[in-house]
Amino acid sequence: MLVLLARPARGAHPGAVVHARTLDDAVLAPERAVRWVWADTAAWYPRLLTDGVRVERCLDLRLAHHVLRASAATATSDLARAPRGPFDAGPAEQAAEPDRPPTLFDTDDEPTTEAGQSDADEDACLAEVAAQDAAVAGAATPGRLRLLLAGESAGALAAAEMRHTGLPWDVAAHDAVLRELLGDRPRRGERPGRMAALAAEVRDALDAPHLNPDSLPDVLRALRRVGLDVTSTRKWELQDVDHPAIAPLLAYKKLSRLHSANGWAWLDQWVPDGRFRPEYVVGGVVTGRWGSSGGGALQIPRLLRGAVCADPGWRLVVADAAQLEPRVLAGMARDERMSAAGAGKDLYAGMVDAGVVPERALAKIGMLGALYGGTTGASAAVLPRLLQAYPQAFGAVEAAARAGERGEVVSTLLGRSSPRPDAAWSRVQADALDPDANDRAQSRARAQTRSWGRFTRNFVVQGTAAEWALCWIAELRRRLWALGESTGTPGRAPAPFTARPHLVYFLHDEIVVHTPAGLAAEVAEQVTAAATAAGRLLFGDFPVQFPLSVGAASSYADAKDAARLPWDEPLDQPVDDRADRS
């Protein structure tokens, strides 16, 4: 049964069920239980979580529409050819409006007739469900699209839950790092003491008493005035310059980044209650990777990892997928020899053992060149050997690159498709074909085609890796809930996760689970089992492995240090045995 939530009439309960029906052929799979259907998970699910209600499965109509609208597999469907409608706002557009009304259908000039409002919204949602169902059913590989839409919707549930629970964060530990590096917290609008001292050093060394070290043009002018021929203030350009202003300038820039990105203002805004709640944007990147619309969720600086601390009596289980994109490439291309190189060991070391390349560094350089379009230096030298050894895998990315250079669409394993080049790209290509085109026009066109080819080359692999990660999250989310409640010390996460292990962080190929200490070992096993299951979902019985580095500890820093891959030597003393941090 699909249970549909549309915007309810004014005065109705915000979780009102507007319509329920049974579909013979559901969009995502045959139904065994209720699946919630709504316009936007980010708008609906937080309300339920606030009431302590967890949703097992859902269909996010907006996310599904976004995939189906652009997929080459559904290009001839009525959904793909229809005019733009309320479901066409992409993830990034939605994220830009954090205070927007709760569904896609609310407007400032709504009619006041309650029955008319709910009827119109119900009709729009039902029409969208039917259009998506027809689009998927008409695709050549409907099963793959169903898996993609299921993963996308499950990811949206996980993202809402991670924002609901938050990543446990020790404010005092964070403050101690800032004070050690920056000095005492300054008054609003002032620089911290260490930064102010470094700024004074830079001004003295450049004889520029009024220099603003935060202004790139001012700093460049001051550097050139003392005879330094520099084009930027980047570290790689300045680090070899011999002048007394350089060391304090580089030190200032490093502290300035910390102060602006993760300083006291960030701490006040994003960790007000000892929990970091970033704003994830599911499908926010064109390849399907997640984005973030605030808080800097896509990285935790190394020097602040120690501030990410589990609740007393709890642990953080941290897992990273090893060499994810190369292994995904082997699976999607069904290259058995490349898959065998990574069976139970480091993939790059396996290439050396197979005699393909003489050393691990060359294998890695060549692989990065294949994935990202490296055409010079060591990458270009080793690529022919890799192509000869693994023709299916490397042939797949080469074919994607050639398609992109022709301005064609490429697709991931499950059916997410790349955008076409824009009109400006097409005009440059057309100008180069003009009989009177000069060398400059032709050179510009070649550069554009190569650039777009690099994009499509990586799109098919990065996008399929994002699909694997969605399956990993969905499977792990299900397994964690099945572990049930712990009888140990309750955590500080809100209901319904107070006594249950739960996801608290995700970044491309890394997840963090917050778990009662007594369940940490079992959670680590489930994390690994979920990765294996994700591989089977995407690649069936093809023998590609997805090993993880997994560690458990009281802090994120210690868990990262404890993380080990299956082929690593075990630690003499488990980091997890360290004392709890309050």
Side-chain angles (χ1 to χ4, degrees):
M1 174 180 289
L2 296 183
V3 181
L4 175 69
L5 268 69
R7 177 182 48 73
R10 278 196 174 92
H13 185 277
V17 176
V18 176
H19 187 88
R21 68 169 183 169
T22 301
L23 296 180
D24 294 332
D25 184 16
V27 174
L28 300 181
E31 293 290 335
R32 293 190 299 272
V34 167
R35 173 177 283 117
W36 296 94
V37 180
W38 43 46
D40 189 348
T41 301
W44 277 104
Y45 193 30
R47 307 176 186 190
L48 301 177
L49 288 170
T50 298
D51 290 337
V53 176
R54 176 186 179 272
V55 168
E56 176 68 20
R57 298 183 298 168
C58 81
L59 170 58
D60 187 307
L61 292 176
R62 178 180 58 82
L63 289 174
H65 182 95
H66 190 65
V67 170
L68 297 175
R69 183 80 152 165
S71 177
T74 54
T76 60
S77 67
D78 291 341
L79 184 149
R81 293 181 296 185
R84 280 182 62 88
F87 291 96
D88 281 297
E93 295 173 74
Q94 296 295 312
E97 302 176 309
D99 297 323
R100 60 185 288 275
T103 74
L104 293 173
F105 304 106
D106 290 331
T107 62
D108 292 334
D109 55 351
E110 293 177 297
T112 57
T113 305
E114 294 183 351
Q117 292 170 19
S118 59
D119 288 347
D121 291 340
E122 179 182 342
D123 289 343
C125 284
L126 288 173
E128 180 64 22
V129 171
Q132 291 187 15
D133 198 14
V136 172
T141 54
R144 292 185 179 185
L145 279 175
R146 290 189 180 108
L147 180 56
L148 175 55
L149 301 186
E152 197 88 333
S153 296
L157 292 174
E161 290 168 1
M162 285 189 282
R163 183 164 173 77
H164 176 69
T165 62
L167 179 65
W169 202 281
D170 188 332
V171 174
H174 188 141
D175 178 72
V177 171
L178 296 179
R179 290 180 183 277
E180 179 183 357
L181 296 175
L182 299 172
D184 291 339
R185 181 170 185 168
R187 289 195 294 266
R188 188 177 184 88
E190 294 183 357
R191 291 189 179 94
R194 298 277 171 79
M195 288 177 59
L198 288 168
E201 286 187 50
V202 173
R203 293 187 185 111
D204 290 343
L206 295 176
D207 192 21
H210 303 294
L211 175 67
N212 177 9
D214 296 312
S215 170
L216 173 60
D218 289 355
V219 171
L220 284 177
R221 280 194 293 268
L223 291 172
R224 291 166 182 163
R225 194 166 52 245
V226 297
L228 302 179
D229 186 19
V230 295
T231 60
S232 74
T233 59
R234 293 186 178 92
K235 181 179 178 180
W236 63 265
E237 183 173 359
L238 295 183
Q239 62 188 359
D240 295 327
V241 176
D242 184 17
H243 191 276
I246 299 303
L249 176 60
L250 291 177
Y252 178 90
K253 284 169 54 66
K254 182 176 181 179
L255 294 184
S256 179
R257 283 193 295 271
L258 170 64
H259 184 240
S260 61
N262 296 101
W264 288 282
W266 180 91
L267 199 57
D268 291 343
Q269 179 180 359
W270 291 101
V271 196
D273 59 350
R275 284 293 196 273
F276 173 38
R277 292 184 169 86
E279 297 176 357
Y280 292 107
V281 183
V282 179
V285 180
V286 69
T287 59
R289 276 187 168 187
W290 290 15
S292 171
S293 66
L298 301 187
Q299 64 172 354
I300 298 176
R302 181 179 293 274
L303 55 84
L304 293 177
R305 288 177 177 176
V308 183
C309 295
D311 293 341
W314 286 56
R315 296 290 184 270
L316 294 175
V317 176
V318 179
D320 281 280
Q323 301 156 346
L324 177 59
E325 289 190 359
R327 293 172 185 274
V328 161
L329 173 58
M332 63 184 290
R334 306 190 79 78
D335 193 313
E336 294 185 2
R337 190 177 178 192
M338 184 169 164
S339 176
K345 57 186 174 183
D346 176 4
L347 174 63
Y348 302 132
M351 292 178 173
V352 175
D353 294 342
V356 177
V357 290
E359 57 184 88
R360 184 185 186 281
L362 286 177
K364 185 173 183 178
I365 289 171
M367 180 62 71
L368 292 176
L371 295 176
Y372 295 95
T375 58
T376 60
S379 178
V382 76
L383 272 174
R385 301 182 67 171
L386 295 176
L387 180 58
Q388 183 178 14
Y390 311 112
Q392 289 170 271
F394 286 81
V397 288
E398 289 298 325
R402 300 292 87 77
E405 291 174 359
R406 294 190 296 269
E408 298 171 1
V409 167
V410 298
S411 298
T412 62
L413 180 68
L414 296 185
R416 190 188 301 273
S417 295
S418 65
R420 293 187 182 276
D422 60 19
W425 188 93
S426 299
R427 284 196 298 271
V428 169
Q429 301 304 311
D431 290 345
L433 295 175
D434 190 293
D436 298 326
N438 56 28
D439 291 342
R440 182 178 179 182
Q442 293 177 351
S443 176
R444 184 183 178 193
R446 285 194 298 269
Q448 278 200 344
T449 57
R450 287 193 298 267
S451 177
W452 199 257
R454 286 193 295 272
F455 163 68
T456 53
R457 168 194 296 275
N458 184 245
F459 180 95
V460 294
V461 182
Q462 187 182 110
T464 304
E467 292 165 354
W468 178 90
L470 283 173
C471 292
W472 184 30
I473 288 175
E475 178 66 14
L476 178 57
R477 176 178 175 270
R478 182 187 67 79
R479 288 169 177 262
L480 291 177
W481 187 259
L483 291 177
E485 294 189 350
S486 168
T487 57
T489 306
R492 295 170 180 163
F497 302 102
T498 306
R500 291 176 177 272
H502 50 276
L503 284 160
V504 289
Y505 185 70
F506 168 64
L507 174 62
H508 305 327
D509 56 4
E510 176 183 346
I511 61 94
V512 180
V513 176
H514 192 216
T515 178
L519 292 176
E522 190 168 1
V523 165
E525 292 178 2
Q526 295 301 330
V527 167
T528 300
T532 301
R536 287 198 299 269
L537 276 171
L538 259 67
F539 306 114
D541 58 359
F542 184 77
V544 59
Q545 298 179 1
F546 295 93
L548 306 177
S549 63
V550 184
S554 296
S555 78
Y556 180 63
D558 290 344
K560 293 287 282 187
D561 289 342
R564 291 293 181 271
L565 286 158
W567 52 81
D568 287 338
E569 293 294 327
L571 292 174
D572 293 333
Q573 177 66 30
V575 177
D576 192 44
D577 287 345
R578 301 184 185 188
D580 287 344
R581 303 185 183 194
S582 298

